[in-house]
Amino acid sequence: MTLPSFPPGDDPGPSFSTLLRRSGQEPLRVQTETAFTPTHGTTIVALRYADGVVMAGDRRATEGYAIAHRSIEKVFPADRHSGVSIAGAAGPAMEMVKLFQTELEHYEKVEGLALSLEGKANKLGQMIRDNLPMAMQGLAVVPIFAGFDLRRQKGRIFKYDLTGGRYEEDDFHANGSGGRDARTTIKLGWREGIDRAAAIELAIGGLYEAADEDSATGGPDVVRGIYPTVATVTTDGFDRVPEDEVAQRFTSLIEHKREEGHQP
Amino acid sequence: MTMPFYVAPEQVMKDRADYARKGIARGRALAALVYGDGILMAAENPSQTLHKISEIYDRIAFAGVGKYNEYDSLRIAGVRHADLKGFAYSREDVDARSLASAYAQILGQIFTHEMKPMEVEILVAEVGDKAGDEQLFHVLYDGSVVDETDLTVLGGEAEAILERLKAGYRPEMPLADALKAATGALTEQGKTLQAADLEVAVLSRSNGRRAFRRLEDDEMAALLR
């Protein structure tokens, strides 16, 4: 590979997608004539708490009525102070996350300064809009973007529609096939200024209820030891919650339900 | 029709090299050395924003001396090269050697074919997984590449600085000692360098995926004490 060089006045600037196009690669483009069933990722949640945001996602991917994968990851760091979680067609979604991560890091390195949280959210919106032709063919990607805004010193959550429309949520959001059930659970438990432990419990509770009602959402898999991905984003950055801690919180959630007389 | 005067190729190359060397010698020097946890790069640079040392990729850093606009365009080309390669293949496939060769190609091409050679000297540094795996590629204005093992100096007065740096260098030094050695080498006799006059960055193994980190003035002042 030789060094990419461009004449002044015709430079792609700090945008990685533009650079890709200029190097002859079209990001996020699949052309299909016939309808098919792609692999789908399902439920993701994000909620704001005292120190930032909690993001979580179940681990199941489906292909129609079949389970395609039992331990897929849906929550990713976007950069140091933000994360992105994905629902929808898994292939294009993974590609979009990879492109988005590279895009943010590329901008930061070329410009010597990271984008604002607002700028990152808008960039993701543009990428989803670019994906619209594929979304019309059944390959829709609907991520949640969340991060810690270093200028405003608070956690912020953004949801998107298929056309790249960007909407900021004040407190929480859940998306994907089990999103509605998860959202209701979180809505009932959310309070302003909850701490980390309560926020993680609430996110896990939301995913548990979603798995209970929705066949495409995976619950905690005690046999294989597969639990949802949970991460926090605070002033210290993106941090995966250790799997042991998630497992333990699920165990206590299930015990609590049993004590209350529910059949687990 | 006018005929150009014949100039021997030796003379052309010598003139170009002298021109490039003069341009580089006007700027301030930069020192890089391997220490216990990775690679430290230090330069005398009063500007807080026009950097001589920058991040290229996870384990790779770039440093340049000479004309700012020229080495900065090389830096951006390097970031693009690395990000495109990492995106197309895998993050592990991005390495300093191929980047240094790409730089050497372009500098060599410009030196022989363009009117004016680039007045820059650059360093491509890569930190490895364990001590002893560090790589320092020093690329000159004419495209020649020197592969250094533990320390190197770029820019004007390089010989005097290199001598001082060698005198203060020990393998596997802690960060504070490495910074002191680099600062001592960059300091001309009868002058002192403050933290605010320096630009220092490290490629540190203990820094996670992205090994590059700039040292802020307070941290530098504390380490130099």
Side-chain angles (χ1 to χ4, degrees):
Chain A
M1 269 170 97
T2 52
L3 275 187
S5 64
F6 304 93
D10 194 26
D11 194 278
S15 161
F16 184 73
S17 325
T18 316
L19 176 67
L20 263 185
R21 279 191 200 104
R22 293 291 305 277
S23 329
Q25 296 175 61
E26 186 62 26
L28 306 171
R29 194 62 88 234
V30 182
Q31 285 295 335
T32 57
E33 295 290 324
T34 48
F36 67 103
T37 315
T39 305
H40 267 265
T42 42
T43 308
I44 49 174
V45 305
L47 60 116
R48 192 166 59 77
Y49 73 106
D51 308 329
V53 286
V54 168
M55 307 180 78
D58 75 309
R59 302 289 290 275
R60 181 173 292 176
T62 58
E63 233 172 78
Y65 295 112
I67 291 175
H69 206 284
R70 286 175 217 285
S71 58
I72 191 179
E73 293 271 345
K74 300 175 192 174
V75 182
F76 303 91
D79 69 351
R80 201 169 136 67
H81 285 103
S82 63
V84 58
S85 51
I86 47 166
M94 298 280 190
E95 185 70 5
M96 190 181 284
V97 167
K98 191 177 151 197
L99 183 63
F100 185 53
Q101 287 168 332
T102 312
E103 187 76 65
L104 299 187
E105 197 185 306
H106 188 75
Y107 181 96
E108 186 187 329
K109 287 189 293 195
V110 170
E111 293 288 304
L113 205 71
L115 274 167
S116 63
L117 194 72
E118 194 90 21
K120 294 174 204 169
N122 285 339
K123 187 72 217 176
L124 185 60
Q126 286 163 21
M127 287 167 63
I128 297 167
R129 186 163 60 242
D130 286 347
N131 193 52
L132 186 62
M134 275 164 68
M136 301 313 281
Q137 293 164 359
L139 299 174
V141 180
V142 244
I144 297 178
F145 177 68
F148 191 82
D149 192 329
L150 290 166
R151 295 178 200 186
R152 303 190 191 185
Q153 286 295 311
K154 63 180 261 207
R156 296 173 73 188
I157 297 166
F158 299 90
K159 69 169 187 177
Y160 296 88
D161 66 18
L162 285 181
T163 59
R166 191 210 82 175
Y167 312 94
E168 181 162 2
E169 285 290 342
D170 286 333
D171 307 322
F172 58 84
H173 187 60
N175 210 345
S177 60
R180 209 186 156 90
D181 302 299
R183 206 152 56 227
T184 311
T185 312
I186 293 171
K187 187 197 273 176
L188 293 174
W190 194 86
R191 290 174 323 286
E192 182 66 50
I194 49 173
D195 64 0
R196 180 180 178 275
I200 294 175
E201 256 165 41
L202 198 53
I204 282 175
L207 288 175
Y208 184 89
E209 298 305 335
D212 214 24
E213 296 296 327
D214 171 43
S215 62
T217 304
D221 188 337
V222 188
V223 178
R224 296 185 183 84
I226 300 168
Y227 295 93
T229 318
V230 186
T232 58
V233 191
T234 61
T235 179
D236 296 330
F238 183 97
D239 192 27
R240 273 284 296 267
V241 177
E243 198 143 59
D244 301 351
E245 188 186 334
V246 179
Q248 188 159 21
R249 290 197 189 278
F250 261 112
T251 313
S252 52
L253 175 85
I254 291 166
E255 262 167 33
H256 184 67
K257 283 202 172 284
R258 206 175 265 142
E259 277 164 22
E260 284 182 341
H262 293 284
Q263 293 295 320
Chain B
M1 198 179 127
T2 53
M3 287 284 284
F5 287 109
Y6 173 77
V7 186
E10 290 91 341
Q11 189 61 42
V12 177
M13 291 303 153
K14 190 179 167 298
D15 287 354
R16 285 194 183 157
D18 285 347
Y19 177 85
R21 267 200 290 265
K22 251 186 232 160
I24 294 162
R26 270 198 289 273
R28 295 190 179 107
L30 181 144
L33 67 155
V34 172
Y35 74 104
D37 198 34
I39 299 167
L40 177 128
M41 289 147 287
E44 196 185 340
N45 186 2
S47 171
Q48 295 286 321
T49 43
L50 303 178
H51 296 301
K52 286 179 191 281
I53 310 165
S54 319
E55 176 185 19
I56 292 271
Y57 210 65
D58 295 352
R59 299 180 158 270
I60 305 174
F62 172 96
V65 296
K67 248 184 135 188
Y68 175 78
N69 67 324
E70 294 187 346
Y71 67 70
D72 196 56
S73 69
L74 288 175
R75 172 187 74 84
I76 292 173
V79 171
R80 286 178 175 157
H81 171 95
D83 276 345
L84 279 173
K85 195 171 175 186
F87 186 77
Y89 304 108
S90 136
R91 299 198 80 90
E92 297 157 34
D93 297 317
V94 181
D95 64 326
R97 193 200 46 78
S98 89
L99 186 63
S101 330
Y103 277 135
Q105 262 181 37
I106 207 140
L107 282 167
Q109 175 86 5
I110 290 171
F111 183 76
T112 37
H113 295 286
E114 303 277 321
M115 262 295 285
K116 182 191 104 52
M118 279 187 142
E119 296 157 67
V120 294
E121 253 180 66
I122 59 176
L123 173 77
V124 183
E126 178 175 0
V127 69
D129 289 333
K130 54 183 197 307
D133 281 355
E134 294 83 5
Q135 294 179 52
L136 295 169
F137 295 100
H138 181 170
V139 190
L140 300 180
Y141 53 87
D142 63 351
S144 33
V145 189
V146 191
D147 177 8
E148 309 276 2
T149 45
D150 33 52
L151 49 91
T152 186
V153 175
L154 282 70
E157 325 231 337
E159 275 120 55
I161 296 171
L162 188 63
E163 220 156 87
R164 288 198 288 267
L165 186 58
K166 273 183 182 157
Y169 180 81
R170 280 175 295 105
E172 304 275 312
M173 275 192 286
L175 179 61
D177 292 3
L179 180 63
K180 280 178 194 149
T183 316
L186 289 172
T187 313
E188 289 168 47
Q189 272 174 350
K191 279 175 89 180
T192 48
L193 282 180
Q194 303 295 324
D197 307 324
L198 289 166
E199 179 189 348
V200 180
V202 290
L203 281 173
S204 161
R205 264 184 287 279
S206 54
N207 214 26
R209 175 173 72 80
R210 290 170 77 174
F212 185 86
R213 182 169 74 88
R214 289 186 193 286
L215 300 192
E216 302 301 331
D217 283 355
D218 334 343
E219 188 185 357
M220 248 192 283
L223 286 168
L224 282 171
R225 209 166 285 145

